[in-house]
Amino acid sequence: MTERITVSAAGADDAPAMPSWMDEEATTYAQAGVDTAEGARAVDAIKGVVHDTYRPEVVGDIGGFGGLFSIAAAKDMDDPLLVSGTDGVGTKLKVAQLAGKHDTVGIDLVAMCANDILATGAEPLFFLDYVAIGKLKAENVAEIVAGIGEGCKQAGCALIGGEMAEHPGVMDPDDYDLSGFCVGVVDRAKMLDPAAVREGDVLIGLASSGLHSNGYSLARKVCVEGKTHYELRLEREELDGACLQDALLTPTRIYVKPVRAVLDACPGAVRALAHITGGGISENLDRALPKTCDAEVDLGTWPVPPIARFVCGAAHLDEAEALKTFNMGLGMVLIVDPARAGEVEAALAEAGEATYRVGRIVAGEGAVRYANDGELYGYDAGAEA
């Protein structure tokens, strides 16, 4: 049998008993390492940046429990699909923290997410960020979010929400990490699909700005560890006069506007897209292939950025290892109907984009293969002209 315990209500004249710990000196949230006042100051510092990214579809303002975005325009699509992507910046953040330069990694954050959903043909609509930081400093957060805002403007999406969280005892005071979340929309009939790729299609490459946001655990190991601040800021001839720090912090290119312009100008000409991220060309281009085709890539048909040459040289990487670690100068590859390749290249040129024919689609089993072994660094701009 269950015993019932009855608690009598206190009489009207009885004062409620106070817990004994109420007599002790309090330890506040701030003393535990979380400064809510600094958090509020950081929010105030980023409001202008956030507002600058807004599109007409944004409903409300920052500060609510959820970001609101109207998708009324999707009613004009036959079968609208929402496309989502999430990513981070990775250990490139360690270079930014070492340099004390925080205004570019936010661009990387947006790029990694927006370029991914672009690979489906989607238009990025809105973005959310998450900033975890050891000790919140409003000025540093404002720099980070300024970069996120710039990335959103480059991608044409609205920054409608985010979160800043101090993690004392978990992260060092100057340490932080970033995560991003992007949502876009594409009409199913216009979606890019590897199943549409055919033997004979042309590979058109778009140049990267450098390492983008991949391979930095290796890049830091061979180029940053053990180096002084002077060495990292020293201008280097092999980097075309740039210093190592700036070359490593060059932000990821965002391809949304030029590629979207081509998709609108040349409907049906682009079969599929590959965003070249972690794993390099070898482990990303195959994601845009059906199981009946291979991508044959001609080495030496595009320029390799100086920073990629520098890091690969410092790490003594052979071609195969380089091609599965870094983008090696190609940030995105379009798989295009061969009868319309010239049309696509002209539209990309109109959008201000340099292009390189870097290979073709051949019969196969969904793999990436390379022609011209040993010619990765052999691009001749004069021959291209």
Side-chain angles (χ1 to χ4, degrees), residues 8 10 48 61 72 84 100 109 115 121 132 144 146-147 155 163 222 227 231 249 276 279 284 306 310 335 374 377:
S8 301
D61 202 352
S84 62
L109 183 65
N115 287 339
I144 294 168
E163 176 71 11
V222 298
K227 299 291 192 303
E231 289 175 298
L249 288 178
I276 310 303
N284 283 282
F310 186 90
I335 303 178
Y377 302 102

Side-chain angles (χ1 to χ4, degrees), residues 19 35 44 58 93 134 179 204 207 212 231 252 260 310 318 383:
D35 190 339
D44 286 339
V58 174
L93 292 176
S179 297
I204 297 178
H212 284 184
E231 289 175 298
T252 306
R260 290 282 308 162
F310 186 90
D318 61 26

